[in-house]
C-alpha cells in the first residue's frame, strides 16, 4: 500500500481525514472497552445465546486414563462406562482469543453532513476495537478495503503487527479522494470472502461499514462466519440518511459518473429515504436470523462515547 505520509504532524482536519497519530491517540480510551461476556444487561452483547465470547477459561485438551490424585469432578463417566476403565477429561487454560476487524474505506464512506466523515468514524471505531482487544492480551487481525484493494492481516499478539494495521488503516483513509476515478465500486462480498477464509473458530469478527453494495451472497458469507464465531456488525450512518431534508441538491458520484439529486422532488426523496430504510431493515433481519450483534454509530457524535454506551461501559 502506498504511503501517504501519515506520520507528518499536521494540519489535517480530523473530522475529514484521520492519520496514524490520531488513531494511536485513542489507545488510552480504548482500555475501558470490553467485548467479553461480563457486561451490563444494557450492552448490545447481552442476552446472546450460544455465544463463543466467553472470555478466558478452560478448553478441552485431551481424554486420558485416570491417575491417582486426579480430581474426581473431571471424570468422564460415559467413556468410563463404555471402556470399563476410569477416564478423565483434561482441560487447559485458554491463554487468548483472536479478533478480526473488517473495515470499510470505500468512496461511499467519504461522506459526512454533521461532524465526521463516515470513513473517519469507521477508522476510529476500528482503532478503538483493535486497541481495546489488544490491551487484554488477545490477538488482533484485520481486513481493510477500499474500492480498489483488499488487505488482509492475520491475527497477532505482537505490538508491531497491530501498529502495521493501524498505519495501513490511516493510509487507506488518507487516500480517499472524491475526484479519484474508480473503475467500479468494491462489493462488500470480496472482503467478507477474504475474512471468511482467514477466520477460524471461536473468533470475534467485527464488520465496520455503511453496508453499501450487499446481496444474498453477503448474507451467505456472514452466516458462514456466524456458524463458528461471534460476529458484530457496526453500521456507520450519517444523520442525513436517516432524516433526509426535502429541500437540498446533492452532487453524488460512484467514482466514474456523477449526477445532481434534488430532494425537493418527492419521488427522488422517497427513493433515497427508502434505500436507507431497506438497508437498516436488512441488517435487522440478519441480526434475528444469525444471532449476531449490531451497533450503530452516527457520524454526528463522538465515536468512543457511542461505543461505550453501546457496550454499557461504566464511566
Amino acid at each position: 500500500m502506498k504511503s501517504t505520509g501519515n506520520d507528518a504532524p499536521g494540519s489535517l482536519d480530523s473530522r475529514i481525514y484521520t492519520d496514524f497519530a490520531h488513531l494511536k491517540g485513542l489507545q488510552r480510551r480504548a482500555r475501558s472497552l470490553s467485548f467479553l461476556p461480563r457486561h451490563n444487561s444494557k450492552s448490545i452483547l447481552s442476552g446472546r445465546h450460544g455465544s463463543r465470547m466467553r472470555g478466558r477459561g478452560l478448553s478441552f485438551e485431551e481424554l486420558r486414563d485416570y491417575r491417582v490424585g486426579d480430581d474426581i469432578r473431571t471424570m468422564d463417566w460415559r467413556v468410563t462406562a463404555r471402556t470399563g476403565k476410569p477416564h478423565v477429561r483434561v482441560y487447559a487454560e485458554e491463554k487468548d482469543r483472536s479478533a478480526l476487524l473488517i473495515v470499510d474505506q470505500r468512496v461511499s464512506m467519504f461522506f459526512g453532513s454533521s461532524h465526521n466523515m463516515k470513513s473517519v468514524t469507521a477508522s476510529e471505531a476500528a482503532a478503538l476495537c483493535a486497541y481495546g482487544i489488544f490491551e487484554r492480551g488477545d490477538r488482533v487481525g484485520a481486513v481493510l478495503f477500499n474500492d480498489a484493494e483488499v488487505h488482509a492481516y492475520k491475527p497477532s499478539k505482537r505490538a508491531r503487527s497491530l501498529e502495521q494495521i493501524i498505519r495501513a488503516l490511516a493510509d487507506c483513509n488518507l487516500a480517499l479522494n472524491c475526484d479519484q476515478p474508480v473503475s467500479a465500486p468494491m462489493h462488500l462480498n470480496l472482503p467478507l470472502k477474504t475474512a471468511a477464509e482467514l477466520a477460524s473458530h471461536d473468533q470475534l469478527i467485527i464488520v465496520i461499514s455503511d453496508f453499501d453494495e450487499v446481496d444474498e451472497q453477503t448474507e451467505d458469507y456472514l452466516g458462514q462466519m456466524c456458524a463458528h464465531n461471534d460476529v458484530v456488525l457496526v453500521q456507520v450512518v450519517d444523520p442525513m440518511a436517516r432524516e433526509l431534508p426535502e429541500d437540498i441538491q446533492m452532487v453524488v458520484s460512484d467514482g466514474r459518473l456523477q449526477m445532481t439529486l434534488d430532494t425537493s422532488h418527492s419521488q427522488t426523496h422517497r427513493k433515497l429515504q427508502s434505500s436507507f430504510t431497506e438497508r437498516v431493515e436488512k441488517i435487522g433481519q440478519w441480526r434475528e436470523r444469525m444471532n449476531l450483534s449490531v451497533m450503530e454509530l452516527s457520524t454526528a457524535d463522538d465515536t468512543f462515547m457511542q461505543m461505550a454506551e453501546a457496550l454499557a461501559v461504566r464511566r
Side-chain angles (χ1 to χ4, degrees), residues 7 12 27 51 78 86 92 98 100 117 119 121 137 152 154 173-174 194 204 224 258 294 311:
D7 290 307
L12 288 175
Q27 185 170 10
S51 174
R78 289 186 179 180
S98 64
L100 188 62
M117 292 293 206
S119 51
T121 295
K154 293 182 179 180
N173 184 268
L174 290 169
T194 301
L204 171 61
Q224 179 181 338
Q258 68 178 31
V294 177
L311 295 170

Side-chain angles (χ1 to χ4, degrees), residues 24-91:
K24 176 70 174 178
L26 297 173
Q27 185 170 10
R28 181 181 61 82
R29 302 182 80 187
R31 291 169 183 159
S32 63
L33 299 179
S34 175
F35 286 88
L36 293 178
R38 295 185 295 275
H39 46 252
N40 189 293
S41 61
K42 295 181 180 179
S43 168
I44 64 163
L45 302 178
S46 66
R48 301 182 66 253
H49 63 273
S51 174
R52 283 160 289 274
M53 286 190 288
R54 53 191 179 274
R56 294 184 182 84
L58 299 177
S59 62
F60 176 72
E61 188 172 72
E62 66 172 331
L63 189 68
R64 62 165 171 79
D65 294 338
Y66 174 83
R67 300 171 186 169
V68 177
D70 284 339
D71 191 333
I72 191 68
R73 291 174 297 182
T74 63
M75 186 77 73
D76 190 314
W77 297 107
R78 289 186 179 180
V79 176
T80 297
R82 187 170 65 249
T83 63
K85 296 181 179 180
H87 282 74
V88 294
R89 298 175 68 86
V90 179
Y91 294 85

Side-chain angles (χ1 to χ4, degrees), residues 97-124:
R97 295 196 175 280
S98 64
L100 188 62
L101 307 177
I102 306 169
V103 191
D104 189 346
Q105 291 291 285
R106 294 175 294 178
V107 171
S108 67
M109 298 287 287
F110 197 52
F111 175 82
S113 66
S114 181
H115 180 62
N116 276 352
M117 292 293 206
K118 290 192 291 183
S119 51
V120 168
T121 295
S123 298
E124 291 177 340

Side-chain angles (χ1 to χ4, degrees), residues 239-256:
M240 185 177 288
R242 187 171 292 283
E243 297 182 12
L244 185 65
E246 299 181 356
D247 57 352
I248 64 170
Q249 289 187 343
M250 298 182 293
V251 177
V252 297
S253 172
D254 64 359
R256 294 174 297 172

Side-chain angles (χ1 to χ4, degrees), residues 99-221:
L100 188 62
L101 307 177
I102 306 169
V103 191
D104 189 346
Q105 291 291 285
R106 294 175 294 178
V107 171
S108 67
M109 298 287 287
F110 197 52
F111 175 82
S113 66
S114 181
H115 180 62
N116 276 352
M117 292 293 206
K118 290 192 291 183
S119 51
V120 168
T121 295
S123 298
E124 291 177 340
L128 287 165
C129 290
Y131 283 125
I133 294 165
F134 182 81
E135 289 288 330
R136 284 167 172 75
D138 295 329
R139 290 169 286 155
V140 179
V143 174
L144 312 178
F145 66 100
N146 52 30
D147 285 293
E149 301 173 303
V150 177
H151 298 270
Y153 302 85
K154 293 182 179 180
S156 172
K157 293 182 66 174
R158 299 171 60 214
R160 182 178 298 178
S161 297
L162 177 60
E163 181 174 304
Q164 181 184 20
I165 291 173
I166 300 300
R167 287 186 182 278
L169 177 58
D171 279 343
C172 273
N173 184 268
L174 290 169
L176 282 167
N177 185 340
C178 285
D179 296 327
Q180 183 175 352
V182 176
S183 58
M186 173 75 72
H187 200 290
L188 187 59
N189 289 347
L190 182 55
L192 288 182
K193 180 177 183 292
T194 301
E197 294 171 347
L198 191 61
S200 54
H201 283 200
D202 296 343
Q203 287 186 320
L204 171 61
I205 300 176
I206 304 175
V207 187
I208 307 173
S209 175
D210 62 358
F211 294 92
D212 190 27
E213 297 290 332
V214 299
D215 55 23
E216 293 182 0
Q217 186 67 56
T218 310
E219 185 172 342
D220 290 341
Y221 283 128

